[in-house]
Amino acid sequence: MSVRNASRHEFLGNPDFFRPLRDADGAPLWVSHDPDEKPCPFCDLVAGDTSDPFNRCELSDIVHQDDDLLVFMASDGFGPHEGHAMIVPVEHREALYDLDERLLGLIGAMSRDVALAMKLAWNPEGTSVRQHNEPAGNQHIWHYHLHVFPRYSDDKLYRQLRHPVEVDVRAAKADELRPALEEILSARR
């Protein structure tokens, strides 16, 4: 069953996915914030369709895609250092709460590989990852995504406001990161 096509109740009750987290009365511990009528920009990117006028993702943002994960350049930057990557599951999962152990492991390993690829491509002084869940947790797109940032001593990342990054800048960053990530992934095989 595709999570995107299932009601929230069906998804949380699906024993084939993972044991849903419930309170003592059997109610789900969290409620979806994903409006069914609104298209998911990350699902559209996975499908190769960025025609929705509200989807700021472009096919040129894609760095890597396999059966489980998509890595792409974020359409927003923070501060003067544009070019951070995002890792999303190919199948729609709204939040961290929806990930099984296998997928969590794949995302964790890919975050390490993307961070190493950033070191290879751009030689930052460090890297950071962050992820948000639900509106109060600062989640804005209702498809799980992990941000991977190249870091610099002067970047003030956590004091910067998000701003749009031009498509050509993202495409150039994807072109720089793609061969570095391919090198890292091929070394792991």
Side-chain angles (χ1 to χ4, degrees), residues 14 20 24 29 35 43-44 47-48 57 94 97 112 137 139 145-146 148 150 164 170 180 182 185 188:
N14 180 1
L29 287 180
C43 286
D44 289 349
C57 300
E94 180 175 335
Y97 320 126
R112 173 205 56 213
Q139 184 177 8
H145 51 287
L146 179 70
V148 183
R170 297 187 334 244
E182 288 171 5
L185 293 175
R188 299 242 182 258

Side-chain angles (χ1 to χ4, degrees), residues 126-147:
T127 59
S128 288
V129 297
R130 72 181 188 196
Q131 191 272 321
H132 310 281
N133 299 288
E134 301 182 86
N138 205 30
Q139 184 177 8
H140 300 286
I141 303 293
W142 310 119
H143 186 131
Y144 172 92
H145 51 287
L146 179 70
H147 299 262

Side-chain angles (χ1 to χ4, degrees), residues 2-17:
S2 168
V3 174
R4 188 75 178 148
N5 296 326
S7 74
R8 189 77 199 143
H9 176 73
E10 292 169 326
F11 171 65
L12 286 173
N14 180 1
D16 295 329
F17 181 65

Side-chain angles (χ1 to χ4, degrees), residues 6-128:
S7 74
R8 189 77 199 143
H9 176 73
E10 292 169 326
F11 171 65
L12 286 173
N14 180 1
D16 295 329
F17 181 65
F18 69 99
R19 197 174 100 230
L21 300 174
R22 297 179 179 274
D23 67 16
D25 297 324
L29 287 180
W30 76 289
V31 177
S32 172
H33 300 280
D34 187 2
D36 287 332
E37 69 280 355
K38 187 176 178 183
C40 173
F42 299 162
C43 286
D44 289 349
L45 185 60
V46 164
D49 177 11
T50 58
S51 61
D52 185 303
F54 297 105
N55 187 346
R56 295 175 48 223
C57 300
E58 296 292 344
L59 296 178
S60 59
D61 296 337
I62 295 174
V63 174
H64 170 82
Q65 184 171 357
D66 60 33
D67 291 340
D68 298 297
L69 301 176
L70 176 71
V71 179
F72 61 100
M73 300 309 298
S75 58
D76 287 330
F78 294 83
H81 301 285
E82 296 174 333
H84 79 279
M86 299 207 318
I87 302 168
V88 302
V90 166
E91 187 170 345
H92 187 86
R93 298 281 191 258
E94 180 175 335
L96 179 65
Y97 320 126
D98 295 329
L99 303 179
D100 61 36
E101 287 78 11
R102 184 187 81 78
L103 197 50
L104 277 168
L106 292 172
I107 291 167
M110 184 61 76
S111 70
R112 173 205 56 213
D113 293 342
V114 169
L116 286 169
M118 287 178 173
K119 295 289 285 178
L120 189 61
W122 304 321
N123 195 30
E125 296 170 39
T127 59
S128 288

